Amino acid sequence: MSSRYVVYRADVDPHVSPGSPVRTRPVLTERFGCTYLTESVLSVEPGTTPPYASGDHEELLFVLNGHGRLLHNGTAQEFGPESGVYIGPGETYQLEITDSVEAEIVRVRVIAPAGSEVTTGERRTISLLDAQEIGHATAGREYRILADPSTGFRSGTHFVGDVPTGEPAPMHYHLYNEVIYVMQGTGILHIEGERNPIYPGACIHLPARTLHQVENTGEIPIREVAVFVPAGSPAAAYLPDGTSAYPGQPDDLQGGVDSH
């Protein structure tokens, strides 16, 4: 299927380096129009990967399934399903998969820092989803933040969000650029005249100030893991006229966008 905003994991052929235990599907790339963020899905066989170097970028990993250890800065930290991992610029790491079957991991690279320098809190490398506080957004949505400036991720916010069944949130936009991986649930992404089916393995690119709406057409919440830049609240959403879509969030000082 072709779309300006959605790529389906199953439609992307994996890249495999000779002798490597990793199959990499580059789902959201610069070629697709992802200027600030790129997203890949890694399938990692048991064993230890070659070293990865972040270079000038920050990287965010989210473990869909599998157990293992992050080998990083001379330490070995355990991870499991629904673990978020933050890798800073200039760092090298390896993944050691300890299960007898392959692990699956969503990797997002921040291509360029967004916005001005921000103050960061104490570095947190691995974040367990269940340990994070639940926040609330429009139309009964809930989210949990894995990484942001308060945990050392200077350029953006890494979170998992749930879109409930029932009446969808209104058409809205964000001030940040975002990439999303759908983990569970089924629905439709309405965006600029497109009706894109979404289901597990759908990868979504949402440029800043683009009107969109996610409609949950299934019987369970849609769960998605996402990264956006610059950092902020996942509840910061705006109606076409620029007013906040969620109480307590300020309006868009730049005004709204055309609804087309």
Side-chain angles (χ1 to χ4, degrees):
M1 300 180 187
S2 61
S3 168
R4 291 173 292 168
Y5 300 102
V6 182
V7 174
Y8 300 95
R9 166 184 170 166
D11 293 340
V12 178
D13 293 331
H15 296 174
V16 183
S17 299
S20 173
V22 183
R23 290 180 291 122
T24 302
R25 297 177 190 268
V27 287
L28 297 176
T29 64
E30 291 179 88
R31 181 179 298 180
F32 190 67
C34 299
T35 305
Y36 301 102
L37 303 161
T38 60
E39 182 172 279
S40 302
V41 181
L42 311 181
S43 299
V44 189
E45 296 176 357
T48 304
T49 68
Y52 289 105
S54 60
D56 295 333
H57 312 308
E58 293 176 283
E59 293 192 11
L60 294 309
L61 310 179
F62 185 79
V63 182
L64 298 173
N65 56 65
H67 295 81
R69 300 193 302 168
L70 173 72
L71 309 180
H72 169 260
N73 284 347
T75 66
Q77 300 183 62
E78 293 187 357
F79 61 75
E82 299 191 327
S83 297
V85 179
Y86 169 71
I87 304 295
E91 297 182 350
T92 301
Y93 67 95
Q94 293 173 273
L95 302 173
E96 179 187 13
I97 305 305
T98 55
D99 285 340
S100 60
V101 295
E102 68 179 19
E104 294 187 309
I105 297 170
V106 176
R107 179 177 68 189
V108 174
R109 302 192 81 192
V110 181
I111 297 173
S116 59
E117 289 295 320
V118 298
T119 301
T120 58
E122 183 178 353
R123 164 72 175 268
R124 189 171 71 203
T125 301
I126 294 184
S127 300
L128 304 181
L129 183 62
D130 285 347
Q132 311 312 313
E133 294 184 1
I134 295 176
H136 300 276
T138 54
R141 298 183 181 204
E142 295 183 342
Y143 63 86
R144 284 174 282 180
I145 293 176
L146 295 164
D148 65 7
S150 71
T151 65
F153 175 28
R154 68 188 188 194
S155 297
T157 299
H158 187 201
F159 77 100
V160 170
D162 290 335
V163 179
T165 58
E167 188 69 22
M171 291 291 291
H172 63 278
Y173 65 93
H174 306 287
L175 300 182
Y176 46 71
N177 298 277
E178 184 175 17
V179 292
I180 297 168
Y181 181 91
V182 177
M183 300 159 59
Q184 72 170 35
T186 56
I188 299 171
L189 171 67
H190 302 271
I191 183 168
E192 294 202 343
E194 295 183 4
R195 288 170 51 90
N196 294 282
I198 54 175
Y199 46 80
C203 306
I204 302 169
H205 173 218
L206 290 180
R209 308 187 73 85
T210 303
L211 283 172
H212 62 279
Q213 179 191 59
V214 174
E215 178 186 3
N216 186 337
T217 59
E219 298 180 351
I220 61 173
I222 294 172
R223 174 162 288 186
E224 53 194 27
V225 59
V227 178
F228 63 77
V229 295
S233 170
Y238 305 91
L239 301 177
D241 65 359
T243 58
S244 174
Y246 188 70
Q249 293 290 325
D251 295 341
D252 179 7
L253 297 179
Q254 299 180 47
V257 297
D258 294 333
S259 60
H260 300 303

